[in-house]
Amino acid sequence: MTASPSAAKAQKMPDLIGAYRPISGVPDEMVAPDGTVKPGWLKFMSALDALGAEELTNRFQHADQYLRDAGVFYRMYDGLEQGERDWPLAHIPLLIAEDEWRGIEAGLAQRADLLETVIADIYGNNALVRDGLLPPELIAGNPEFLRPMVGIEPMSGHHLHFCAFELGRGPDGRWWVLGDRTQAPSGAGFALENRVATTRALADIYADLNVHRLAGFFRDFRNALTDMGGNGSGRVAILTPGPLNETYFEHAYIARYLGFLLVQGEDLVVVDGEVMVRTVSGLKPISVLWRRLDGDFTDPLELRQDSHIGTPGLTEAVRRGSVAFVNSLGAGILETRALGAFLPAIARSRLGSDLALPNIATWWCGGEEARAYVRDNFNDLLVGPALSTLLSIDDDGGTAAIADLDPAARADLLAKIEADPKAFAAQEAVKLSTAPVYVGGALEPRPITLRVYAARTAEGWSIMPGGFARVGYALDTAAIAMQRGGQAADVWVVSESEVEQVTLLAKSNSTIERNPSGNLPSRAGDNLIWLGRYAERCEASVRILRAYHLRLAELGREDNPLLVATSAYLEPLGIDATEAVPAGLLAIIDGAVRSASQIRDRFSPDGWLALTDLQKTARRFARTIKPGDDATRAMTVLLRKLAGFSGLVHENMYRFAGWRFLEIGRRLERGIQIAEIATWLCAPDAPEGATEMLLEIGDSVMTHRRRYGYGYGNLGAVELLISDPLNPRSVMFQLTELLEQLKELPGGYVDGQLSAAAKAALKLQTELAVIDAADVNPDMLVGVGNGLANISNLISEMYF
């Protein structure tokens, strides 16, 4: 909002040597109104110079690599360019002095109290309308006004618990509020990742500047939600729209960071007015839902009937006081653009003081005096829909900068305002201050806005010491929006003295409270099973393809009977063996990634990185590898990456119910795959070389030679891969492990009674244990495969 410092003042800026001297003027955020350098900036910029261009570029590349490895992304919705995008980190943080930050904290706490007062009145006694402080049209006709919520007292006693505020510099150098975010504020998780990535690049500078930490903010809010839940963090859940949401990564990240359940609408059910989550141990109560979807989508029964991501009955649960939402359903009305025109007067009336952080000047055209002002100052304003909840810097066409319109368009818009004035609101044109951005080896000024978060705690409002800054890719204010190519920078609140080294962990405990092991949403259990199954299905397919291409490289022809039979076996599975990396194999890997994406909150970053690395490698091979020897080597590489993924998951996952479902999926699929492959390769009409291929695919060639020598080829292979209890590749081994995990699941073994799935596994295991290798035949193996499929169905019936 401020212009660059005058030339005289800019000269007081100490010379910054080397490639990092700002070009195109000095960024406003580095300079105080008197032209002196703001606290922290001189030390920071000198440290950048000391690093040198090459070192700094390498550090920034490492920060970007960290974000890619961690899988940090946001989803773009821009015509044909839809899809996941790497998080666009602006590597230079925004520095704010501690004393300046204290003023921001106080102003935002006051504003949060004001917004709480407003929403409590809107859904309460409606005194603001009665007293003439709010026009009824902004409430009754507002799509964000959820009428079923009128008169409902929140279980927690408050409507607002977590808010975000968009800030920018005012004409006099002070901060102004550009917009309030109360619907389902996003970005707090990205602020954490910004901090991690930036400090990885600038760890030494970060340590010297006494930057306030973020962990204390999240710790206090976590504790507040846990206390609100009334019975441990297991009763708190984050409600997400799902993986297709643009900020889903953040939902999963925050859930994992704070230890909360991550649920979707389909995971919940309302029973007798109480919200329950479907878990593998049955229905479990939920007391607090931190929702990350718009309020009207939460309940298709009373709010938005076309919602497929909500849960019928949630409104009734709120009405009965059995669940608290963060924030209350209907809180999105506070984001209404025209509301800003009335907040100053409401603050004076209800708080007895002016706003310490004023919002951007706003005029609702429904008032005669305001409409006259808009008419007289039309060319200097921004005009848009009065009930819009978009910020002007985010808008995709709803807001018009009058100065940018041609005379005919201006006249047309003015005529529309005169015809329906209550539908429009005007705001002052924003000129944002600038911050330094690293561009091509130099620092350039770019416009910024600052998003700051407030969380309600037992001690009142806590303000995150930082948040994140949105930085434009060009000097145009509109270029700040993330969907338009803007970047996100970390925000450092710097102190002159040492700051507390806070963490999420409590300093001391008198007791230990553990969440139950079966507190796993059924949907998550289902996805974990399928993740295990897809991983094993992929491995089996890769082993078959490697065996195929190895023989193709040796023979140089595809009409060999064994290769023809292999191709025929894979064809019904959607895999074309003649391709080096078949599309069907890529689809299986994509299935594994899709299942893993549904459970990011329960999946380690290392495991996710290993899986996505497998996916990227397979896709690269599909473009570059040829059949035969090249494909054989490529399949070996994919096997190594699969082994790395499986090892990470197997060794690192805590043995909760989630790990057991993943293990069950692996054992089911491996048993089915071995049974089916053996059925094909042990058939009476199997082509020459089938036994050798069976052993190779089953990764049992060396074991077979040591155990049987060369005297019991076919029978030895059958025993080794079907009924040998010591071979980790045999069907018998899978059944033994499967039975063990089924017994450990909730309800798997109760009072001496096995579950239906465990009984089926025990029966199949017993049948294999007493059979001789000579009696194994294709029909019997088909029965084994069907039996394993039946166990899968029984598991689904019981837990999902």
Side-chain angles (χ1 to χ4, degrees):
M1 288 186 180
T2 58
S4 297
S6 66
K9 291 182 177 179
Q11 289 174 358
K12 297 181 181 180
M13 181 73 178
D15 224 7
L16 298 173
I17 61 173
Y20 305 104
R21 180 174 182 175
I23 62 175
S24 304
V26 178
D28 306 334
E29 291 298 329
M30 297 173 62
V31 184
D34 63 357
T36 59
V37 183
K38 289 182 179 180
W41 276 110
L42 178 58
K43 188 175 183 179
F44 177 84
M45 299 301 289
S46 298
L48 291 189
D49 265 345
L51 290 175
E54 184 177 355
E55 171 65 13
L56 195 58
T57 298
N58 289 336
R59 290 189 178 204
F60 290 161
Q61 289 174 349
H62 290 158
D64 293 337
Q65 187 61 51
Y66 161 77
L67 292 171
R68 287 192 293 270
D69 290 348
V72 183
F73 72 90
Y74 74 106
R75 190 174 296 277
M76 285 189 67
Y77 299 94
D78 185 18
L80 297 178
E81 296 299 319
Q82 296 180 19
E84 295 178 2
R85 295 291 183 270
D86 291 339
W87 184 246
L89 178 67
H91 304 95
I92 304 297
L94 175 65
L95 274 56
I96 300 178
E98 184 179 49
D99 57 349
E100 181 181 10
W101 188 256
R102 295 302 175 217
I104 293 175
E105 284 184 324
L108 292 183
Q110 178 204 41
R111 190 175 186 87
D113 283 335
L114 174 63
L115 295 179
E116 175 69 34
T117 299
V118 172
I119 189 173
D121 180 84
I122 288 174
Y123 290 101
N125 59 22
N126 221 6
L128 293 175
V129 171
R130 186 176 63 247
D131 296 344
L133 292 170
L134 269 181
E137 295 89 341
L138 292 187
I139 308 301
N142 198 316
E144 296 296 338
F145 177 59
L146 304 184
R147 195 172 299 276
M149 307 309 300
V150 172
I152 298 178
E153 286 289 334
M155 185 189 84
S156 67
H158 298 99
H159 290 271
L160 300 180
H161 310 87
F162 193 83
C163 305
F165 305 93
E166 208 79 27
L167 306 182
R169 288 283 184 182
D172 57 359
R174 296 170 58 201
W175 289 100
W176 288 60
V177 178
L178 303 177
D180 305 299
R181 287 289 174 251
T182 54
Q183 174 72 273
S186 64
F190 290 123
L192 276 171
E193 285 289 30
N194 280 349
R195 174 61 55 87
V196 175
T198 303
T199 53
R200 285 201 174 192
L202 305 172
D204 45 356
I205 304 175
Y206 176 81
D208 288 342
L209 286 179
N210 298 319
V211 180
H212 282 267
R213 307 302 173 98
L214 304 181
F217 172 83
F218 289 96
R219 178 197 61 204
D220 294 344
F221 188 50
R222 179 200 61 191
N223 295 343
L225 293 186
T226 301
D227 292 343
M228 193 191 309
N231 189 26
S233 61
R235 299 191 66 153
V236 181
I238 297 176
L239 178 59
T240 174
L244 294 182
N245 183 262
E246 63 187 53
T247 57
Y248 173 73
F249 166 83
E250 184 204 359
H251 307 168
Y253 179 85
I254 289 291
R256 187 169 61 239
Y257 183 67
L258 298 181
F260 292 152
L261 286 174
L262 183 67
V263 299
Q264 298 180 29
E266 65 185 271
D267 297 326
L268 304 176
V269 61
V270 179
V271 180
D272 296 328
E274 187 172 5
V275 180
M276 314 289 283
V277 59
R278 296 182 176 93
T279 77
V280 296
S281 297
L283 298 179
K284 301 294 181 181
I286 290 291
S287 302
V288 178
L289 283 172
W290 183 359
R291 65 177 177 87
R292 302 305 304 271
L293 66 161
D294 290 353
D296 56 344
F297 278 93
T298 58
D299 186 351
L301 190 62
E302 292 196 55
L303 300 177
R304 184 162 177 160
Q305 296 181 1
D306 62 343
S307 172
H308 297 287
I309 56 177
T311 304
L314 283 180
T315 302
E316 179 61 21
V318 175
R319 191 175 289 120
R320 295 194 184 191
S322 67
V323 69
F325 271 98
V326 179
N327 292 319
S328 288
L329 302 180
I333 196 171
L334 296 174
E335 299 181 1
T336 303
R337 177 177 297 157
L339 188 63
F342 304 94
L343 288 180
I346 296 174
R348 289 189 290 270
S349 171
R350 295 304 191 256
L351 302 183
S353 63
D354 289 325
L355 288 171
L357 282 178
N359 49 264
I360 182 175
T362 305
W363 298 267
W364 178 56
C365 296
E368 191 171 321
E369 184 178 343
R371 186 164 64 256
Y373 178 90
V374 171
R375 188 187 306 114
D376 293 342
N377 298 273
F378 196 58
N379 292 342
D380 300 323
L381 301 175
L382 301 172
V383 177
L387 300 183
S388 172
T389 58
L390 293 172
L391 295 173
S392 58
I393 58 173
D394 286 334
D395 212 352
D396 57 359
T399 299
I402 306 304
D404 295 337
L405 301 179
D406 59 47
R410 294 184 195 182
D412 181 62
L413 180 55
L414 190 56
K416 290 179 180 178
I417 294 174
E418 295 294 341
D420 188 11
K422 296 178 180 180
F424 293 91
Q427 294 177 310
E428 64 176 312
V430 175
K431 181 175 175 58
L432 296 169
S433 62
T434 59
V437 177
Y438 183 77
V439 180
L443 297 180
E444 297 187 11
R446 292 289 185 269
I448 62 141
T449 62
L450 175 61
R451 178 167 290 192
V452 186
Y453 299 88
R456 187 183 293 279
T457 69
E459 288 73 36
W461 287 104
S462 172
I463 309 300
M464 181 192 293
F468 74 83
R470 292 197 294 173
V471 184
Y473 69 89
L475 290 175
D476 179 14
T477 299
I480 284 182
M482 303 297 290
Q483 296 288 337
R484 299 185 181 184
Q487 297 176 297
D490 192 15
V491 179
W492 292 4
V493 177
V494 297
S495 174
E496 294 182 358
S497 57
E498 291 188 8
V499 298
E500 182 184 1
Q501 305 298 303
V502 294
T503 71
L504 280 182
L505 298 177
K507 293 183 179 179
S508 62
N509 299 91
S510 57
T511 60
I512 295 177
E513 181 177 312
R514 302 177 183 89
N515 291 327
S517 63
N519 200 18
L520 174 74
S522 297
R523 175 187 51 82
D526 192 24
N527 277 290
L528 282 163
I529 276 191
W530 277 105
L531 174 58
R533 293 196 63 171
Y534 276 125
E536 286 297 325
R537 189 175 298 177
C538 178
E539 180 176 338
S541 300
V542 168
R543 289 186 179 279
I544 294 173
L545 287 167
R546 185 173 68 168
Y548 176 92
H549 286 285
L550 176 63
R551 286 155 179 78
L552 178 63
E554 292 173 349
L555 299 172
R557 50 190 299 178
E558 297 177 353
D559 59 355
N560 176 269
L562 183 57
L563 297 187
V564 172
T566 304
S567 182
Y569 173 78
L570 291 173
E571 185 177 359
L573 306 178
I575 298 176
D576 184 353
T578 62
E579 297 178 359
V581 182
L585 176 62
L586 298 179
I588 295 172
I589 297 174
D590 290 345
V593 173
R594 186 167 55 250
S595 294
S597 71
Q598 296 276 350
I599 47 173
R600 287 292 301 272
D601 59 313
R602 296 179 178 274
F603 207 60
S604 76
D606 288 336
W608 176 258
L609 175 61
L611 188 58
T612 54
D613 181 52
L614 170 69
Q615 183 185 48
K616 292 174 183 177
T617 302
R619 288 176 176 173
R620 185 177 73 251
F621 285 165
R623 297 190 301 268
T624 59
I625 297 300
K626 296 180 179 180
D629 191 53
D630 283 352
T632 302
R633 289 195 298 270
M635 293 302 118
T636 300
V637 171
L638 295 182
L639 277 176
R640 287 202 302 266
K641 291 183 178 292
L642 273 166
F645 165 72
S646 298
L648 278 170
V649 171
H650 185 78
E651 294 299 325
N652 294 345
M653 280 188 73
Y654 190 79
R655 267 43 174 179
F656 255 17
W659 177 84
R660 299 193 189 284
F661 279 105
L662 182 67
E663 187 71 2
I664 284 169
R666 292 180 60 214
R667 300 305 173 184
L668 278 172
E669 189 66 27
R670 184 176 291 185
I672 290 172
Q673 291 292 334
I674 291 296
E676 289 184 349
I677 295 168
T679 300
W680 154 50
L681 290 174
C682 292
D685 57 349
E688 184 179 350
T691 300
E692 289 82 356
M693 181 178 275
L694 172 62
L695 290 168
E696 185 179 327
I697 294 171
D699 197 21
S700 298
V701 173
M702 291 177 60
T703 304
H704 181 269
R705 289 174 182 171
R706 286 197 302 266
R707 188 164 177 79
Y708 301 100
Y710 293 91
Y712 301 93
N714 191 52
L715 285 180
V718 169
E719 181 178 84
L720 188 60
L721 288 170
I722 303 300
S723 58
D724 191 326
L726 302 181
N727 183 12
R729 292 284 169 178
S730 74
V731 177
M732 173 62 83
F733 190 93
Q734 313 317 311
L735 284 167
T736 302
E737 291 296 309
L738 184 60
L739 178 59
E740 186 65 27
Q741 300 309 325
L742 288 172
K743 290 165 65 176
E744 293 295 327
L745 288 180
Y749 187 65
V750 180
D751 296 332
Q753 295 297 314
L754 293 172
S755 66
K759 286 180 180 178
L762 178 59
K763 180 181 178 181
L764 198 55
Q765 181 197 42
T766 304
E767 292 174 355
L768 276 187
V770 299
I771 198 170
D772 291 329
D775 296 327
V776 174
N777 57 67
D779 290 340
M780 178 264 181
L781 291 173
V782 169
V784 169
N786 291 338
L788 286 164
N790 179 57
I791 294 172
S792 177
N793 292 335
L794 292 172
I795 294 170
S796 296
E797 290 174 9
M798 182 171 183
Y799 296 105
F800 312 139

